[in-house]
Amino acid sequence: METLEKSEHIIETFDGIKLKGYYFPAKEDSKITIICSPSHRSTCFNDFSAILSFFNNKNYNVLFTVSRAHIGSEGNYITLGKKESKDLIRWAEFINNKTPGQSIFIYGANLGAVNAMILTGLDYIPSNIKGVISDSGYSRAYDFLLYQIRHEYNLSPYPTVPIANWFAKKIAKVNFKESSPIDCLQKSTLPVLFIHGNKDQFVPTYMGDACYRACSSPKKLLIIDDAPHIQSYFINPEKYEEAFDDFVNEYAVNQNKD
């Protein structure tokens, strides 16, 4: 990855904060761009470095985004996709201005996948966004928190989760029960590739399956055997790459030639 050419960019969001991103151009002229959205408290360099060489070999342009309220970007709070989904729209507009005529695919892991799925239900989606790849995203924030409290901490979710939701609404203006991926997917018009490991104990596989079943647009589901949370690519990179490439080739306009 260190040998790949990259440039640093700053955009301004709809609510006036500045976000950072890193753009990796394809080896040759390309009409396909992958915009990556990382997991919570992580970076694209942590989450997507392993697959970056595959993108480079396929001659995709790649944009690593830095989420709001993460080091490098402004913002005080994450909003569980409420604002981050619109941030991804701004990044798509940035790509369209930088290199017009791109087929853009939004690729997210964990909370980045949530951002991408919520994007599918927005009222405004630029026409150059052709599809979404969601790896290990949950179905509803409230249900995810209930699961985490029970299974990760072995505690009763009541009154912990309702109190946490009260504070989130008061401080960050975020309601865990609203703007959930599964609700947005029910009105999606974008093709979506869902990826999940069947040994995911952090975001259980049934949540990924629920997102897939709720999605109203063209969709595909890839379940990777023996893969824990966000580890599907490492467990079976060949199957992951094949599904990713097939999806992009099916929905991109003016696809790259191998």
Side-chain angles (χ1 to χ4, degrees):
M1 183 179 66
E2 293 297 330
T3 61
L4 296 181
E5 177 188 350
K6 71 176 183 292
S7 55
E8 184 177 311
H9 300 273
I10 301 292
I11 63 167
E12 186 171 314
T13 66
F14 69 97
D15 57 343
I17 69 171
K18 291 181 171 59
L19 305 179
K20 182 181 289 187
Y22 300 89
Y23 180 75
F24 297 83
K27 294 180 292 186
E28 301 173 359
D29 183 58
S30 176
K31 292 297 185 183
I32 295 174
T33 297
I34 312 297
I35 296 180
C36 299
S37 181
S39 55
H40 178 44
R41 293 185 178 177
S42 187
T43 70
C44 287
F45 292 95
N46 288 335
D47 294 345
F48 305 115
S49 288
I51 201 172
L52 187 58
S53 60
F54 164 70
F55 292 158
N56 188 248
N57 290 335
K58 299 305 296 185
N59 204 46
Y60 300 155
N61 302 306
V62 179
L63 178 69
F64 278 6
T65 65
V66 180
S67 301
R68 61 173 58 218
H70 287 67
I71 295 175
S73 288
E74 295 179 349
N76 295 320
Y77 308 105
I78 64 168
T79 66
L80 303 179
K82 181 178 180 180
K83 293 183 178 180
E84 290 84 355
S85 58
K86 296 177 182 179
D87 295 341
L88 290 170
I89 296 293
R90 289 288 294 116
W91 280 118
E93 292 172 339
F94 162 81
I95 291 295
N96 199 40
N97 290 331
K98 179 178 176 60
T99 52
Q102 292 289 300
S103 289
I104 293 176
F105 292 84
I106 309 296
Y107 173 37
N110 182 249
L111 192 54
V114 169
N115 301 338
M117 288 189 286
I118 290 178
L119 178 151
T120 68
L122 296 179
D123 293 333
Y124 166 68
I125 301 174
S127 61
N128 56 335
I129 297 180
K130 302 302 181 184
V132 161
I133 299 94
S134 167
D135 187 338
S136 307
Y138 60 70
S139 49
R140 287 190 174 92
Y142 200 84
D143 294 342
F144 171 69
L145 291 171
L146 292 177
Y147 173 86
Q148 284 290 303
I149 292 295
R150 289 191 184 106
H151 295 274
E152 292 293 314
Y153 300 101
N154 199 30
L155 297 172
S156 170
Y158 303 99
T160 306
V161 175
I163 290 174
N165 194 36
W166 183 87
F167 277 105
K169 287 189 289 185
K170 186 172 183 63
I171 297 172
K173 312 303 181 186
V174 174
N175 187 340
F176 295 155
K177 294 183 178 181
E178 294 179 354
S179 195
S180 68
I182 202 167
D183 296 332
C184 295
L185 289 164
Q186 289 173 349
K187 53 184 180 179
S188 171
T189 57
L190 286 175
V192 184
L193 169 61
F194 298 92
I195 302 172
H196 223 104
N198 72 351
K199 294 295 177 63
D200 193 335
Q201 299 298 314
F202 188 75
V203 177
T205 311
Y206 70 78
M207 290 191 178
D209 183 64
C211 289
Y212 171 76
R213 288 185 283 105
C215 183
S216 61
S217 56
K219 56 190 176 183
K220 298 178 184 293
L221 176 64
L222 174 64
I223 300 295
I224 300 294
D225 292 338
D226 301 319
H229 187 59
I230 324 180
Q231 297 298 303
S232 292
Y233 183 71
F234 298 96
I235 297 299
N236 197 331
E238 294 83 7
K239 193 171 184 180
Y240 198 109
E241 289 175 0
E242 180 182 15
F244 201 110
D245 191 44
D246 287 348
F247 182 78
V248 168
N249 283 331
E250 182 172 356
Y251 294 107
V253 178
N254 300 320
Q255 300 97 319
N256 297 324
K257 301 296 183 182
D258 290 332

